[in-house]
Amino acid sequence: MDALLKNNRNNIVMMAVLAVVLAVLPWVLGGAFENGKSWLRAVDFALLYIMLALGLNIVVGYAGLLDLGYIAFYAVGAYLFAILNSPHLQAVLPAWLSHPPFLVMMVMAAFVAGIFGVLLGSPTLKLRGDYLAIVTLGFGEIVRIFMNNLDRPINITNGPQGINNIDPVQIAGYDFGRPIEILGLTFEKIHLYYYLILAFCALIIFVSIRLQNSRIGRAWVAIREDEIAANAMGINTRNVKLLAFAMGASFGGVSGALFASFQGFVSPESFVLMESVMVLCMVVLGGMGNIPGVILGAIIVSITPELLRDIINPLQMAIAGKKVVDPENLRMLIFGLAMIVIMLVRPAGLWPSKRRRAELQPKTKDIALQEKDSLQDAERNHD
Protein backbone atom coordinates (compact mmCIF):
# COMPACT_ATOMS: atom_id res chain seq x y z
CA MET A 1 0.00 0.00 0.00
CA ASP A 2 2.83 2.35 0.93
CA ALA A 3 4.64 1.48 -2.30
CA LEU A 4 1.47 2.23 -4.28
CA LEU A 5 1.02 5.61 -2.57
CA LYS A 6 4.68 6.43 -3.15
CA ASN A 7 4.36 5.47 -6.82
CA ASN A 8 1.27 7.70 -7.24
CA ARG A 9 3.05 10.57 -5.51
CA ASN A 10 6.04 10.20 -7.84
CA ASN A 11 3.74 10.19 -10.87
CA ILE A 12 2.02 13.38 -9.69
CA VAL A 13 5.38 15.10 -9.14
CA MET A 14 6.58 14.04 -12.59
CA MET A 15 3.39 15.28 -14.23
CA ALA A 16 3.66 18.61 -12.41
CA VAL A 17 7.29 19.07 -13.51
CA LEU A 18 6.37 18.16 -17.09
CA ALA A 19 3.47 20.65 -17.04
CA VAL A 20 5.77 23.44 -15.84
CA VAL A 21 8.38 22.62 -18.50
CA LEU A 22 5.77 22.64 -21.26
CA ALA A 23 4.27 25.90 -19.96
CA VAL A 24 7.58 27.79 -20.07
CA LEU A 25 8.97 26.06 -23.19
CA PRO A 26 8.09 28.91 -25.65
CA TRP A 27 9.95 31.45 -23.50
CA VAL A 28 12.92 29.11 -23.00
CA LEU A 29 13.24 28.55 -26.75
CA GLY A 30 12.92 32.28 -27.40
CA GLY A 31 15.69 33.05 -24.90
CA ALA A 32 18.03 30.18 -25.73
CA PHE A 33 18.03 30.33 -29.52
CA GLU A 34 18.44 33.21 -31.93
CA ASN A 35 15.78 31.60 -34.16
CA GLY A 36 13.53 30.72 -31.22
CA LYS A 37 10.31 31.30 -33.17
CA SER A 38 11.44 28.86 -35.83
CA TRP A 39 12.03 26.24 -33.13
CA LEU A 40 8.67 26.97 -31.53
CA ARG A 41 7.00 26.53 -34.89
CA ALA A 42 8.76 23.15 -35.18
CA VAL A 43 7.41 22.23 -31.73
CA ASP A 44 3.89 23.22 -32.84
CA PHE A 45 4.17 20.87 -35.79
CA ALA A 46 5.64 18.15 -33.56
CA LEU A 47 2.49 18.38 -31.41
CA LEU A 48 0.31 18.06 -34.51
CA TYR A 49 2.32 14.99 -35.56
CA ILE A 50 1.89 13.49 -32.07
CA MET A 51 -1.89 13.78 -32.51
CA LEU A 52 -1.66 12.17 -35.95
CA ALA A 53 0.61 9.37 -34.72
CA LEU A 54 -1.73 8.60 -31.80
CA GLY A 55 -4.65 8.39 -34.25
CA LEU A 56 -2.77 6.01 -36.53
CA ASN A 57 -1.62 4.05 -33.47
CA ILE A 58 -5.25 3.06 -32.84
CA VAL A 59 -5.55 1.56 -36.32
CA VAL A 60 -2.06 0.09 -36.70
CA GLY A 61 -0.86 -0.38 -33.12
CA TYR A 62 -4.03 -1.55 -31.37
CA ALA A 63 -6.12 -3.15 -34.14
CA GLY A 64 -3.21 -4.30 -36.33
CA LEU A 65 -4.67 -2.80 -39.53
CA LEU A 66 -1.92 -1.42 -41.79
CA ASP A 67 -3.14 1.96 -43.08
CA LEU A 68 -1.02 3.81 -45.65
CA GLY A 69 -3.65 6.45 -46.47
CA TYR A 70 -4.06 7.97 -43.03
CA ILE A 71 -3.03 11.45 -44.16
CA ALA A 72 -6.34 11.63 -46.11
CA PHE A 73 -8.22 12.19 -42.83
CA TYR A 74 -5.81 14.99 -41.99
CA ALA A 75 -6.68 16.52 -45.36
CA VAL A 76 -10.42 16.15 -44.74
CA GLY A 77 -10.20 18.04 -41.44
CA ALA A 78 -7.98 20.74 -42.92
CA TYR A 79 -10.15 21.35 -45.98
CA LEU A 80 -13.36 21.33 -43.94
CA PHE A 81 -11.94 24.03 -41.68
CA ALA A 82 -10.64 26.00 -44.67
CA ILE A 83 -13.93 25.93 -46.59
CA LEU A 84 -16.05 26.99 -43.61
CA ASN A 85 -13.64 29.64 -42.32
CA SER A 86 -12.38 31.42 -45.43
CA PRO A 87 -13.94 33.77 -48.02
CA HIS A 88 -13.67 31.02 -50.67
CA LEU A 89 -17.28 29.70 -50.50
CA GLN A 90 -18.88 32.26 -48.20
CA ALA A 91 -21.18 33.50 -50.98
CA VAL A 92 -22.91 30.11 -51.32
CA LEU A 93 -22.70 28.75 -47.77
CA PRO A 94 -25.73 29.18 -45.50
CA ALA A 95 -25.17 31.70 -42.74
CA TRP A 96 -25.43 29.08 -39.94
CA LEU A 97 -22.62 27.06 -41.53
CA SER A 98 -20.23 29.94 -42.08
CA HIS A 99 -17.60 30.56 -39.39
CA PRO A 100 -19.00 28.13 -36.78
CA PRO A 101 -17.77 28.46 -33.16
CA PHE A 102 -14.35 26.91 -32.68
CA LEU A 103 -15.37 23.96 -30.52
CA VAL A 104 -18.29 23.18 -32.84
CA MET A 105 -15.80 23.29 -35.72
CA MET A 106 -13.54 20.79 -33.98
CA VAL A 107 -16.45 18.42 -33.37
CA MET A 108 -17.49 18.75 -37.02
CA ALA A 109 -13.92 18.01 -38.20
CA ALA A 110 -13.74 14.91 -35.98
CA PHE A 111 -17.21 13.73 -37.05
CA VAL A 112 -16.70 14.21 -40.80
CA ALA A 113 -13.24 12.62 -40.72
CA GLY A 114 -14.75 9.73 -38.70
CA ILE A 115 -17.36 9.20 -41.44
CA PHE A 116 -14.56 9.06 -44.00
CA GLY A 117 -12.84 6.52 -41.76
CA VAL A 118 -15.95 4.32 -41.82
CA LEU A 119 -16.19 4.76 -45.61
CA LEU A 120 -12.61 3.53 -45.92
CA GLY A 121 -13.03 0.72 -43.40
CA SER A 122 -16.31 -0.73 -44.72
CA PRO A 123 -15.00 -2.21 -48.01
CA THR A 124 -11.71 -3.35 -46.44
CA LEU A 125 -13.01 -5.38 -43.50
CA LYS A 126 -11.90 -8.70 -44.99
CA LEU A 127 -8.46 -7.43 -46.03
CA ARG A 128 -5.28 -7.63 -43.99
CA GLY A 129 -1.57 -7.03 -44.41
CA ASP A 130 -0.27 -6.00 -47.82
CA TYR A 131 -3.72 -6.02 -49.47
CA LEU A 132 -5.13 -3.62 -46.87
CA ALA A 133 -2.04 -1.40 -47.22
CA ILE A 134 -2.52 -1.14 -51.00
CA VAL A 135 -6.22 -0.27 -50.70
CA THR A 136 -5.66 2.38 -48.02
CA LEU A 137 -2.76 3.81 -50.04
CA GLY A 138 -5.14 4.17 -52.96
CA PHE A 139 -7.74 5.85 -50.74
CA GLY A 140 -5.20 8.42 -49.57
CA GLU A 141 -4.20 9.23 -53.13
CA ILE A 142 -7.83 9.43 -54.29
CA VAL A 143 -8.60 12.05 -51.63
CA ARG A 144 -5.54 14.10 -52.57
CA ILE A 145 -6.36 13.92 -56.30
CA PHE A 146 -9.96 14.91 -55.52
CA MET A 147 -8.71 17.98 -53.67
CA ASN A 148 -6.46 18.76 -56.61
CA ASN A 149 -9.21 18.54 -59.23
CA LEU A 150 -12.33 19.64 -57.39
CA ASP A 151 -12.11 23.15 -58.86
CA ARG A 152 -14.40 22.35 -61.77
CA PRO A 153 -17.19 22.34 -62.84
CA ILE A 154 -17.89 23.84 -59.39
CA ASN A 155 -14.89 25.34 -57.62
CA ILE A 156 -14.96 23.73 -54.16
CA THR A 157 -11.29 23.25 -53.24
CA ASN A 158 -9.67 25.79 -55.61
CA GLY A 159 -7.60 22.98 -57.11
CA PRO A 160 -3.79 23.09 -56.97
CA GLN A 161 -3.84 26.73 -55.80
CA GLY A 162 -5.37 25.67 -52.50
CA ILE A 163 -7.43 27.82 -50.15
CA ASN A 164 -5.87 30.84 -48.47
CA ASN A 165 -7.01 33.64 -46.15
CA ILE A 166 -8.23 31.08 -43.60
CA ASP A 167 -9.42 32.87 -40.49
CA PRO A 168 -7.45 32.27 -37.27
CA VAL A 169 -9.13 30.71 -34.25
CA GLN A 170 -11.28 32.96 -32.08
CA ILE A 171 -12.06 31.90 -28.52
CA ALA A 172 -13.97 34.03 -26.00
CA GLY A 173 -13.49 37.13 -28.15
CA TYR A 174 -9.71 36.64 -28.45
CA ASP A 175 -8.34 36.55 -31.97
CA PHE A 176 -5.42 34.07 -32.10
CA GLY A 177 -4.09 35.80 -35.21
CA ARG A 178 -3.14 38.91 -33.21
CA PRO A 179 -0.86 39.35 -30.19
CA ILE A 180 -2.62 39.19 -26.82
CA GLU A 181 -1.20 40.76 -23.67
CA ILE A 182 -1.86 38.92 -20.38
CA LEU A 183 -0.24 39.86 -17.05
CA GLY A 184 2.37 41.95 -18.82
CA LEU A 185 3.36 39.12 -21.17
CA THR A 186 2.77 39.42 -24.90
CA PHE A 187 1.52 36.19 -26.46
CA GLU A 188 2.09 36.23 -30.20
CA LYS A 189 0.23 34.00 -32.66
CA ILE A 190 2.84 31.25 -32.51
CA HIS A 191 2.66 31.19 -28.68
CA LEU A 192 -1.14 31.13 -28.65
CA TYR A 193 -1.28 28.24 -31.12
CA TYR A 194 1.36 26.37 -29.11
CA TYR A 195 -0.88 26.34 -26.05
CA LEU A 196 -3.99 25.60 -28.11
CA ILE A 197 -2.42 22.62 -29.91
CA LEU A 198 -0.85 21.45 -26.65
CA ALA A 199 -4.29 21.42 -24.99
CA PHE A 200 -5.78 19.31 -27.79
CA CYS A 201 -2.72 17.05 -27.76
CA ALA A 202 -3.19 16.45 -24.01
CA LEU A 203 -6.88 15.70 -24.63
CA ILE A 204 -6.05 13.14 -27.31
CA ILE A 205 -3.40 11.51 -25.10
CA PHE A 206 -5.99 11.26 -22.30
CA VAL A 207 -8.56 9.70 -24.66
CA SER A 208 -5.94 7.27 -26.00
CA ILE A 209 -5.02 6.15 -22.47
CA ARG A 210 -8.66 5.63 -21.56
CA LEU A 211 -9.26 3.69 -24.79
CA GLN A 212 -6.18 1.52 -24.26
CA ASN A 213 -7.45 0.15 -20.99
CA SER A 214 -11.10 -0.02 -21.98
CA ARG A 215 -13.13 -2.97 -23.21
CA ILE A 216 -12.89 -1.60 -26.77
CA GLY A 217 -9.11 -1.29 -26.50
CA ARG A 218 -8.80 -4.91 -25.39
CA ALA A 219 -11.08 -5.95 -28.27
CA TRP A 220 -8.78 -4.14 -30.74
CA VAL A 221 -5.76 -5.98 -29.32
CA ALA A 222 -7.63 -9.30 -29.51
CA ILE A 223 -8.35 -8.69 -33.19
CA ARG A 224 -4.72 -7.80 -33.79
CA GLU A 225 -3.54 -11.02 -32.16
CA ASP A 226 -6.05 -13.41 -33.74
CA GLU A 227 -9.20 -12.21 -35.48
CA ILE A 228 -10.77 -15.66 -35.72
CA ALA A 229 -10.26 -16.33 -32.01
CA ALA A 230 -11.60 -12.86 -31.17
CA ASN A 231 -14.72 -13.56 -33.24
CA ALA A 232 -15.14 -16.93 -31.51
CA MET A 233 -14.99 -15.17 -28.14
CA GLY A 234 -18.00 -13.03 -29.06
CA ILE A 235 -16.30 -9.85 -30.27
CA ASN A 236 -18.13 -8.21 -33.15
CA THR A 237 -15.00 -7.83 -35.26
CA ARG A 238 -16.73 -5.84 -38.01
CA ASN A 239 -18.02 -3.09 -35.71
CA VAL A 240 -14.85 -2.99 -33.63
CA LYS A 241 -12.65 -2.60 -36.71
CA LEU A 242 -14.92 0.12 -38.10
CA LEU A 243 -14.72 1.87 -34.73
CA ALA A 244 -10.90 1.75 -34.94
CA PHE A 245 -10.97 3.36 -38.38
CA ALA A 246 -13.47 6.01 -37.26
CA MET A 247 -11.67 6.84 -34.01
CA GLY A 248 -8.26 7.06 -35.66
CA ALA A 249 -9.67 9.21 -38.46
CA SER A 250 -11.35 11.61 -36.02
CA PHE A 251 -7.96 12.31 -34.39
CA GLY A 252 -6.58 13.06 -37.85
CA GLY A 253 -9.53 15.37 -38.62
CA VAL A 254 -9.00 17.41 -35.46
CA SER A 255 -5.26 17.81 -36.11
CA GLY A 256 -6.00 18.75 -39.74
CA ALA A 257 -8.40 21.52 -38.66
CA LEU A 258 -5.78 22.91 -36.25
CA PHE A 259 -3.18 22.73 -39.02
CA ALA A 260 -5.38 24.73 -41.43
CA SER A 261 -6.06 27.40 -38.85
CA PHE A 262 -2.39 27.62 -37.86
CA GLN A 263 -1.09 27.79 -41.42
CA GLY A 264 -3.85 30.02 -42.84
CA PHE A 265 -3.48 28.11 -46.09
CA VAL A 266 -4.06 24.55 -47.33
CA SER A 267 -3.21 22.89 -50.64
CA PRO A 268 -3.07 19.26 -51.85
CA GLU A 269 0.75 19.32 -51.66
CA SER A 270 0.53 19.14 -47.87
CA PHE A 271 -1.15 15.72 -47.98
CA VAL A 272 1.07 13.57 -50.19
CA LEU A 273 1.81 9.88 -49.65
CA MET A 274 5.14 10.65 -47.99
CA GLU A 275 3.28 12.30 -45.10
CA SER A 276 1.39 9.05 -44.46
CA VAL A 277 4.68 7.16 -44.55
CA MET A 278 6.25 9.60 -42.10
CA VAL A 279 3.38 9.20 -39.61
CA LEU A 280 3.65 5.42 -39.94
CA CYS A 281 7.41 5.70 -39.30
CA MET A 282 6.66 7.60 -36.08
CA VAL A 283 4.43 4.77 -34.85
CA VAL A 284 6.80 1.96 -35.85
CA LEU A 285 9.96 3.72 -34.66
CA GLY A 286 8.51 4.62 -31.26
CA GLY A 287 6.75 1.34 -30.58
CA MET A 288 3.40 0.24 -31.96
CA GLY A 289 0.63 0.14 -29.41
CA ASN A 290 2.52 2.05 -26.70
CA ILE A 291 1.45 5.67 -26.19
CA PRO A 292 4.76 6.99 -24.72
CA GLY A 293 6.65 5.22 -27.50
CA VAL A 294 4.48 6.73 -30.22
CA ILE A 295 4.94 10.21 -28.72
CA LEU A 296 8.71 9.67 -28.62
CA GLY A 297 8.71 8.51 -32.26
CA ALA A 298 6.68 11.55 -33.37
CA ILE A 299 9.05 13.94 -31.59
CA ILE A 300 12.17 12.32 -33.05
CA VAL A 301 10.89 12.16 -36.62
CA SER A 302 9.41 15.68 -36.66
CA ILE A 303 12.24 17.49 -34.85
CA THR A 304 15.15 15.76 -36.64
CA PRO A 305 14.89 17.92 -39.82
CA GLU A 306 15.21 21.09 -37.72
CA LEU A 307 18.25 19.66 -35.93
CA LEU A 308 19.83 18.69 -39.24
CA ARG A 309 19.15 22.13 -40.69
CA ASP A 310 20.86 23.83 -37.74
CA ILE A 311 23.79 21.38 -37.64
CA ILE A 312 24.47 20.17 -41.18
CA ASN A 313 24.30 23.53 -42.98
CA PRO A 314 26.80 25.36 -40.70
CA LEU A 315 29.04 22.26 -40.72
CA GLN A 316 29.08 22.14 -44.52
CA MET A 317 29.78 25.86 -44.78
CA ALA A 318 32.66 25.52 -42.29
CA ILE A 319 34.23 22.52 -44.07
CA ALA A 320 33.48 22.98 -47.77
CA GLY A 321 32.47 26.63 -47.92
CA LYS A 322 29.15 25.70 -49.57
CA LYS A 323 26.13 23.41 -49.14
CA VAL A 324 27.04 20.01 -50.58
CA VAL A 325 24.07 17.96 -49.32
CA ASP A 326 20.52 19.17 -48.83
CA PRO A 327 19.47 18.41 -45.20
CA GLU A 328 16.07 17.30 -46.53
CA ASN A 329 17.69 14.54 -48.61
CA LEU A 330 19.93 13.60 -45.70
CA ARG A 331 16.85 13.29 -43.50
CA MET A 332 15.35 10.59 -45.75
CA LEU A 333 18.67 8.73 -45.77
CA ILE A 334 18.87 8.85 -41.96
CA PHE A 335 15.26 7.71 -41.55
CA GLY A 336 15.84 4.81 -43.93
CA LEU A 337 18.92 3.71 -42.02
CA ALA A 338 17.13 4.19 -38.69
CA MET A 339 14.24 1.98 -39.79
CA ILE A 340 16.64 -0.78 -40.90
CA VAL A 341 18.55 -0.60 -37.61
CA ILE A 342 15.31 -0.64 -35.61
CA MET A 343 14.05 -3.70 -37.49
CA LEU A 344 17.31 -5.55 -36.80
CA VAL A 345 18.05 -4.44 -33.23
CA ARG A 346 14.71 -3.45 -31.69
CA PRO A 347 11.88 -4.88 -33.82
CA ALA A 348 9.31 -3.78 -31.23
CA GLY A 349 10.43 -0.10 -31.45
CA LEU A 350 12.43 2.24 -29.23
CA TRP A 351 9.85 2.17 -26.41
CA PRO A 352 7.62 -0.87 -26.88
CA SER A 353 4.72 -1.87 -24.69
CA LYS A 354 5.23 -4.75 -22.24
CA ARG A 355 2.83 -6.91 -24.22
CA ARG A 356 4.64 -6.27 -27.51
CA ARG A 357 8.04 -6.91 -25.93
CA ALA A 358 6.81 -10.19 -24.46
CA GLU A 359 5.45 -11.26 -27.85
CA LEU A 360 8.76 -10.67 -29.63
CA GLN A 361 11.03 -11.80 -26.81
CA PRO A 362 9.53 -14.82 -24.98
CA LYS A 363 10.93 -15.29 -21.48
CA THR A 364 11.81 -18.96 -21.89
CA LYS A 365 12.76 -21.24 -24.78
CA ASP A 366 9.73 -23.41 -24.06
CA ILE A 367 7.37 -20.49 -24.71
CA ALA A 368 9.21 -19.64 -27.92
CA LEU A 369 8.93 -23.26 -29.11
CA GLN A 370 5.25 -23.39 -28.21
CA GLU A 371 4.57 -20.26 -30.25
CA LYS A 372 6.21 -21.88 -33.28
CA ASP A 373 4.15 -25.07 -32.93
CA SER A 374 1.31 -25.72 -35.32
CA LEU A 375 -2.14 -26.57 -33.96
CA GLN A 376 -1.46 -30.30 -34.50
CA ASP A 377 1.86 -30.08 -32.65
CA ALA A 378 0.22 -28.25 -29.76
CA GLU A 379 -2.52 -30.90 -29.49
CA ARG A 380 0.05 -33.70 -29.63
CA ASN A 381 2.23 -32.11 -26.95
CA HIS A 382 -0.81 -31.47 -24.79
CA ASP A 383 -1.83 -35.11 -24.99
Side-chain angles (χ1 to χ4, degrees):
M1 188 65 181
D2 290 340
L4 183 62
L5 289 173
K6 186 178 179 182
N7 194 26
N8 288 337
R9 199 181 304 122
N10 290 339
N11 288 338
I12 292 172
V13 171
M14 286 179 60
M15 293 298 292
V17 171
L18 181 62
V20 172
V21 170
L22 291 174
V24 301
L25 184 62
W27 314 106
V28 173
L29 290 175
F33 296 97
E34 186 180 350
N35 55 348
K37 287 186 179 178
S38 173
W39 273 103
L40 184 55
R41 185 178 176 80
V43 172
D44 288 347
F45 276 99
L47 292 172
L48 286 174
Y49 277 119
I50 288 173
M51 295 163 67
L52 282 174
L54 287 173
L56 185 60
N57 183 50
I58 290 178
V59 183
V60 177
Y62 293 166
L65 305 167
L66 184 53
D67 186 351
L68 285 180
Y70 184 71
I71 209 66
F73 309 122
Y74 188 52
V76 169
Y79 266 92
L80 182 67
F81 189 97
I83 289 172
L84 299 185
N85 293 278
S86 72
H88 180 57
L89 287 180
Q90 292 304 307
V92 295
L93 284 177
W96 59 269
L97 200 55
S98 176
H99 294 92
F102 175 65
L103 292 180
V104 175
M105 185 67 240
M106 288 296 106
V107 173
M108 289 172 64
F111 181 72
V112 173
I115 290 176
F116 272 80
V118 173
L119 290 176
L120 167 65
S122 298
T124 61
L125 288 175
K126 295 187 180 301
L127 299 178
R128 291 188 69 84
D130 299 342
Y131 300 103
L132 178 61
I134 291 170
V135 173
T136 53
L137 186 152
F139 172 79
E141 285 299 287
I142 287 170
V143 169
R144 185 184 64 81
I145 292 170
F146 249 102
M147 302 299 181
N148 211 25
N149 293 280
L150 218 56
D151 56 342
R152 56 187 182 278
I154 301 173
N155 188 358
I156 298 176
T157 63
N158 208 26
Q161 288 78 27
I163 300 174
N164 55 16
N165 294 326
I166 301 171
D167 294 339
V169 169
Q170 294 195 6
I171 299 176
Y174 290 105
D175 186 347
F176 277 42
R178 298 176 179 175
I180 298 174
E181 190 168 332
I182 301 175
L183 300 174
L185 292 174
T186 302
F187 292 79
E188 298 184 12
K189 176 185 175 181
I190 200 164
H191 296 96
L192 296 169
Y193 271 96
Y194 166 77
Y195 292 112
L196 179 67
I197 298 172
L198 180 63
F200 273 91
C201 192
L203 176 64
I204 283 182
I205 291 172
F206 175 74
V207 173
S208 296
I209 292 172
R210 299 298 297 170
L211 281 173
Q212 185 180 28
N213 299 320
S214 69
R215 185 174 178 179
I216 294 173
R218 293 195 295 274
W220 284 333
V221 173
I223 289 175
R224 184 190 70 193
E225 298 302 321
D226 192 328
E227 186 173 344
I228 296 174
N231 198 16
M233 294 303 292
I235 295 173
N236 188 328
T237 55
R238 184 197 63 177
N239 290 350
V240 171
K241 285 165 75 174
L242 284 179
L243 187 59
F245 275 112
M247 188 62 71
S250 64
F251 287 7
V254 170
S255 55
L258 289 170
F259 165 76
S261 171
F262 181 47
Q263 285 279 91
F265 169 76
V266 293
S267 74
E269 291 181 358
S270 300
F271 312 106
V272 294
L273 172 63
M274 188 51 67
E275 290 293 317
S276 283
V277 174
M278 294 303 292
V279 179
L280 183 62
C281 284
M282 295 170 187
V283 177
V284 174
L285 184 71
M288 287 193 297
N290 190 33
I291 293 170
V294 171
I295 294 172
L296 176 66
I299 292 172
I300 291 175
V301 174
S302 57
I303 293 294
T304 300
E306 296 301 320
L307 285 173
L308 289 176
R309 196 170 291 119
D310 273 11
I311 295 173
I312 297 298
N313 284 340
L315 192 64
Q316 291 184 99
M317 293 301 291
I319 296 174
K322 62 179 181 179
K323 293 181 183 177
V324 180
V325 181
D326 186 354
E328 185 67 20
N329 296 333
L330 198 60
R331 179 187 70 153
M332 302 311 297
L333 177 64
I334 290 174
F335 284 162
L337 289 173
M339 294 305 293
I340 293 172
V341 171
I342 287 294
M343 281 189 290
L344 292 174
V345 180
R346 294 183 68 88
L350 292 174
W351 193 343
S353 62
K354 291 180 181 177
R355 183 197 298 268
R356 189 74 176 162
R357 192 186 298 124
E359 288 172 1
L360 295 175
Q361 296 176 345
K363 285 186 176 179
T364 63
K365 289 184 178 178
D366 290 341
I367 296 175
L369 291 173
Q370 285 173 8
E371 289 183 347
K372 290 179 181 176
D373 282 350
S374 64
L375 181 60
Q376 289 77 14
D377 292 334
E379 288 178 345
R380 194 182 309 115
N381 294 334
H382 181 70
D383 293 336

